[in-house]
Amino acid sequence: MKKSVTFKNGHLNMAGNLYLPEGYDESKKYSGIVVVHPGGGVKEQTAGVYAQNLSDNGFVALAFDASCQGESEGEPRLLEDPYARVEDVRCAVDYLTTLPYVDQEKIGALGICAGGGYVVAAAPTERRIKAVATVSAVDIGAMFRGEASVETQLQTLEAVAKQRTAEVNGAEAHFLTYAPDTLEEMDENTPVLMREAYDYYRTPRAQHPNSPNRFLFTSVDKLMAFSATTQISDYLTQPMLMIAGTEADTCAYSEKFYELSNGPKEIFWIEGATHIAMYDIPEYVGQAVTKLTEFFQKNI
């Protein structure tokens, strides 16, 4: 059973879909899972796929839209602020603790793509998260810094600064795309991740009106300042499971999280899967959900 819910993040109303197990009995206590969507995603896409599957296996699962995105409140619209996204995770945990049928001592978090980096960043200091899992994890800060020289990164930050000044003085907002908008934007040099992102987000496969493939250019200074790994070695003592496809061009992020963690940890490889294939391809999602169910049943 799925129901639309709202919860508070400061003065903002956050929009979520709460998935309840079959045969749900409000007099019982269930384990709760917060499910965090990728950058540019919304709760109706892969976060909802995983939340539904986890509820089918007995968990109360919450998929929600990030602040400033989807149906959640927040201005400016389509801001991708990693620090706000981490706070979103905390507020989603807040909400689960208010539900009388969720055991406050049995809450876990699952993040997909950038959402994986956000739950890994939240969990070290959010001790109500008893276990953390990722699927196709990405540290969005490291991704935006990339392999460019510091000089090039500074040039980018100078451009963001100029855009902020322009916008506060009346200029129109400038947006970037997460994935190519059209087939015509791609050529033989387009990375596999971007080709697959186009197929997922910009075709009927998973396209959604609340996921417009846009984010504010003025998000970039916040993205470049962010690191999902800062507190892992010292504070992330909860059990951590990373799930990644063997063909994913982002698997180095899962390996990095694994390397830095000093707590109980595991990488679970899904043979033949790419980054985006883990979002909705039943063969791969099924394997991931089986592993996630075992992990959360054991650790929360």
Side-chain angles (χ1 to χ4, degrees):
M1 179 171 67
K2 178 182 77 172
K3 64 177 183 177
S4 297
V5 299
T6 60
F7 59 94
K8 284 294 187 180
N9 180 348
H11 65 283
L12 302 180
N13 288 312
M14 303 288 289
N17 286 330
L18 189 69
Y19 294 80
L20 301 171
E22 186 176 354
Y24 152 75
D25 181 345
E26 65 179 7
S27 68
K28 294 183 178 179
K29 291 285 189 180
Y30 297 87
S31 298
I33 310 293
V34 169
V35 185
V36 184
H37 65 67
V42 289
K43 62 185 180 300
E44 291 84 2
Q45 295 169 328
T46 185
V49 170
Y50 277 91
Q52 176 68 71
N53 276 275
L54 287 167
S55 74
D56 290 344
N57 288 338
F59 300 96
V60 171
L62 173 66
F64 64 93
D65 289 332
S67 52
C68 303
Q69 300 175 31
E71 294 181 312
S72 290
E73 293 181 346
E75 297 288 343
R77 300 306 294 170
L78 302 180
L79 178 70
E80 183 72 21
D81 181 347
Y83 302 96
R85 292 274 257 137
V86 170
E87 183 62 18
D88 292 345
V89 176
R90 297 181 188 279
C91 294
V93 174
D94 286 344
Y95 173 68
L96 286 184
T97 69
T98 70
L99 301 177
Y101 46 85
V102 171
D103 187 332
Q104 295 181 2
E105 297 302 316
K106 293 187 175 183
I107 293 175
L110 166 65
I112 303 141
C113 188
Y118 295 141
V119 298
V120 167
T125 54
E126 179 48 85
R127 306 306 296 182
R128 295 173 298 176
I129 295 175
K130 303 304 181 184
V132 60
T134 68
V135 171
S136 297
V138 165
D139 180 340
I140 198 168
M143 175 175 278
F144 269 79
R145 290 186 295 274
E147 298 179 358
S149 67
V150 172
E151 180 182 5
T152 299
Q153 293 178 44
L154 288 171
Q155 289 172 353
T156 299
L157 291 170
E158 292 285 354
V160 173
K162 289 179 181 178
Q163 183 62 26
R164 283 186 65 116
T165 297
E167 289 181 19
V168 79
N169 282 280
E172 290 188 2
H174 176 49
F175 294 90
L176 301 178
T177 59
Y178 286 97
D181 257 337
T182 65
L183 282 171
E184 290 70 30
E185 294 177 34
M186 297 185 285
D187 58 28
E188 65 275 6
N189 297 316
T190 302
V192 171
L193 177 61
M194 290 296 100
R195 291 179 177 278
E196 292 191 329
Y198 163 79
D199 188 62
Y200 184 80
Y201 286 109
R202 309 310 293 161
T203 75
R205 174 179 170 187
Q207 193 169 20
H208 192 279
N210 291 341
S211 174
N213 194 38
R214 298 284 186 276
F215 69 101
L216 284 169
F217 178 54
T218 49
S219 305
V220 171
D221 54 357
K222 302 164 191 64
L223 291 164
M224 289 180 64
F226 176 74
S227 173
T229 62
T230 305
Q231 305 295 342
I232 292 179
S233 297
D234 291 332
Y235 294 162
L236 206 163
T237 58
Q238 303 100 310
M240 180 168 65
L241 169 67
M242 289 142 290
I243 299 177
T246 57
E247 302 305 309
D249 42 11
T250 54
C251 58
Y253 296 111
S254 294
E255 292 171 331
K256 184 67 172 180
F257 294 160
Y258 181 88
E259 174 191 341
L260 290 173
S261 173
N262 290 315
K265 57 188 177 182
E266 180 182 0
I267 296 183
F268 183 71
W269 297 105
I270 295 189
E271 191 65 35
T274 58
H275 179 99
I276 299 285
M278 293 302 308
Y279 285 20
D280 65 339
I281 302 298
E283 173 188 357
Y284 302 129
V285 172
Q287 294 178 61
V289 169
T290 297
K291 185 65 177 180
L292 287 164
T293 299
E294 295 172 356
F295 172 74
F296 285 126
Q297 285 177 342
K298 177 182 178 181
N299 291 293
I300 63 173

